[in-house]
Amino acid sequence: MASAELAVDNKSDQTPLARERQHAQDEREGRLRFVVVKNDGLDRSLISLIDMKSIYSKQLPKMGKEYIVRLVLDRSHTSLACVFEGEIVGGVTYRRHATQAFAEIAFCAVSATHQVRGYGTRLMNQLKEHCKREGIHFLLTYADNHAIGYFRKQGFQKQVTMKRERWLGYIKDYDGGTLMECAIDTQVDYLNIRFVAEEQRRAIAERMEAGGAQQQEAEYAGYDPAEGGVPAGLQGTSWRESALHCSMQGKPVPLADCLQAVLAEVATHADAWPFQTAVSTSLAPDYYEVIKDPVDLASVRARLTPRAHLHTTTRSSSSSPTCCACAKTAACTTATTTSTTTARSGWRRSSGRRSER
């Protein structure tokens, strides 16, 4: 089970972007290196693995030392060491499942004297770049409660998107741990992602500032959706009016006509008689205490009246309230009768809204 402990260092006052720039410069000058280490029997490799084992043992005291040694020296595991000025200051140990194209992180830690300097983030980004070269598409780890926050900042999430049969049986289950997943995007440069985001932020801020200086004195009238068209001030932009295009029996018809057809189909159904009108409080005195959002076909019919959503209705003591959420009412009615209506009237609805992807 992976764990990560990042202690608070009051001496570190650099921003994350400044730390990333410093790391990039240290790497170019050779002071900071990231080395892949395996148990290949060489003395140099064994010394590096023992150094990382010592860091894991100190930073992850709840993990047994024998267990840490066994995994770090296991030939099926690979370690990525973070070396600063010739000294190993952190590392991450993982096991690659080549046939399944994912890797399981076992340990991830930075020495106490080098924490809160961004080495943990840089180490994880280097691991992602290494995974891209090895054909690894996902990273999985069982994180303890202290490590969940760290892994979430590194792009891990609790929802595993891989198919269960792809990883089940390949990784070990841990009691008290949270399984987290990180998808590796081959199109992302993880070592420069913060720099790219900063450039985009600066470009957007400059464009907003320039546009605001030109239009800060402009005043525009309100926008009425019933009139359509492009709202004042949005001419020349990418804004487009959202629209629903409906068809009935293969012919395009207005949305209001489609909804009226759905309502008529539901109202004439043999089982619709209990829902024609509101429930009377004389028959069920506590009905509206139990049912917080009541709805009936008469209320739906009233809400389908043009511009009826612009008016507010109140509850009377002798009758039921009209549903205040007209959109919700129409959606509920449509959703519950889609299959029946489609079969009997051929009604079909398609959305003309632009995709946000």
Side-chain angles (χ1 to χ4, degrees):
M1 179 168 58
S3 181
E5 183 175 331
L6 302 178
V8 177
D9 186 353
N10 296 328
K11 297 180 181 179
S12 178
D13 55 357
Q14 285 184 316
T15 64
L17 182 61
R19 288 197 293 263
E20 287 284 342
R21 287 173 176 164
Q22 184 62 49
H23 294 158
Q25 180 178 350
D26 290 342
E27 288 187 50
R28 289 192 297 268
E29 297 176 356
R31 291 195 300 269
L32 180 63
R33 297 183 298 115
F34 294 88
V35 183
V36 176
V37 185
K38 296 182 178 181
N39 186 2
D40 52 11
L42 298 178
D43 293 343
R44 181 177 57 184
S45 300
L46 291 175
I47 292 174
S48 298
L49 292 175
I50 294 301
D51 288 342
M52 279 188 282
K53 183 272 300 180
S54 299
I55 294 176
Y56 297 152
S57 299
K58 292 179 180 178
Q59 300 305 121
L60 313 174
K62 294 183 179 180
M63 309 293 289
K65 294 183 179 181
E66 295 80 4
Y67 175 72
I68 294 177
V69 172
R70 178 157 49 88
L71 292 190
V72 171
L73 297 181
D74 191 338
R75 295 182 183 271
S76 62
H77 283 70
T78 304
S79 297
L80 182 64
C82 177
V83 184
F84 180 69
E85 295 184 344
E87 176 188 1
I88 294 181
V89 299
V92 56
T93 298
Y94 65 94
R95 180 171 182 174
R96 175 192 176 197
H97 300 277
T99 58
Q100 308 304 108
F102 80 89
E104 176 191 6
I105 296 177
F107 308 112
C108 179
V110 176
S111 64
T113 56
H114 292 82
Q115 290 183 6
V116 199
R117 299 184 183 180
Y119 289 131
T121 299
R122 193 69 176 182
L123 181 63
M124 191 59 64
N125 288 336
Q126 287 283 357
L127 175 62
K128 293 175 183 178
E129 288 295 321
H130 180 68
C131 288
K132 288 163 57 177
R133 295 189 291 268
E134 286 196 331
I136 297 175
H137 301 154
F138 292 92
L139 289 172
L140 287 180
T141 185
Y142 270 98
D144 62 21
N145 294 333
H146 299 287
I148 291 177
Y150 164 75
F151 282 110
R152 183 181 287 113
K153 292 180 181 179
Q154 308 309 319
F156 286 74
Q157 60 180 4
K158 295 182 180 180
Q159 180 180 2
V160 178
T161 60
M162 282 195 300
K163 292 184 177 180
R164 185 176 178 85
E165 56 270 18
R166 180 172 176 178
W167 57 267
L168 186 63
Y170 288 88
I171 65 176
K172 181 180 179 181
D173 293 331
Y174 293 90
D175 294 333
T178 301
L179 183 61
M180 304 186 72
E181 175 196 82
C182 178
I184 306 297
D185 192 334
T186 57
Q187 303 299 319
V188 174
D189 183 357
Y190 290 100
L191 299 181
N192 294 308
I193 187 171
R194 196 182 295 275
F195 304 141
V196 174
E198 175 62 18
E199 292 178 1
Q200 292 176 341
R201 186 200 65 78
R202 187 184 299 109
I204 293 174
E206 292 176 354
R207 187 167 183 178
M208 291 177 61
E209 183 177 356
Q214 297 175 1
Q215 301 183 11
Q216 60 182 354
E217 300 298 333
E219 295 183 1
Y220 302 102
Y223 173 67
D224 187 352
E227 298 179 359
V230 181
L234 296 182
Q235 294 85 352
T237 67
S238 60
W239 185 89
R240 295 293 182 273
E241 182 180 8
S242 299
L244 279 175
H245 302 283
C246 298
S247 63
M248 190 159 46
Q249 297 180 348
K251 297 180 180 180
V253 295
L255 174 61
D257 293 348
C258 286
L259 295 178
Q260 291 289 353
V262 172
L263 178 60
E265 194 73 20
V266 174
T268 56
H269 194 276
D271 297 329
W273 63 268
F275 310 101
Q276 294 292 343
T277 58
V279 177
S280 174
T281 54
S282 61
L283 296 177
D286 61 343
Y287 180 80
Y288 297 109
E289 297 178 3
V290 178
I291 307 301
K292 301 302 181 181
D293 294 315
V295 65
D296 57 85
L297 295 177
S299 300
V300 175
R301 188 175 292 105
R303 285 297 175 177
L304 290 182
T305 303
R307 303 179 69 84
H309 62 282
L310 299 179
H311 304 284
T312 302
T313 58
T314 58
R315 178 182 299 184
S316 65
S317 58
S318 60
S319 62
S320 68
T322 303
C323 180
C324 296
C326 61
K328 178 181 178 181
T329 299
C332 292
T333 305
T334 303
T336 55
T337 60
T338 298
S339 58
T340 303
T341 307
T342 303
R344 300 180 62 179
S345 66
W347 180 82
R348 179 171 60 86
R349 183 182 69 177
S350 61
S351 175
R353 292 176 294 178
R354 295 179 294 119
S355 173
E356 297 180 357
R357 295 190 62 184

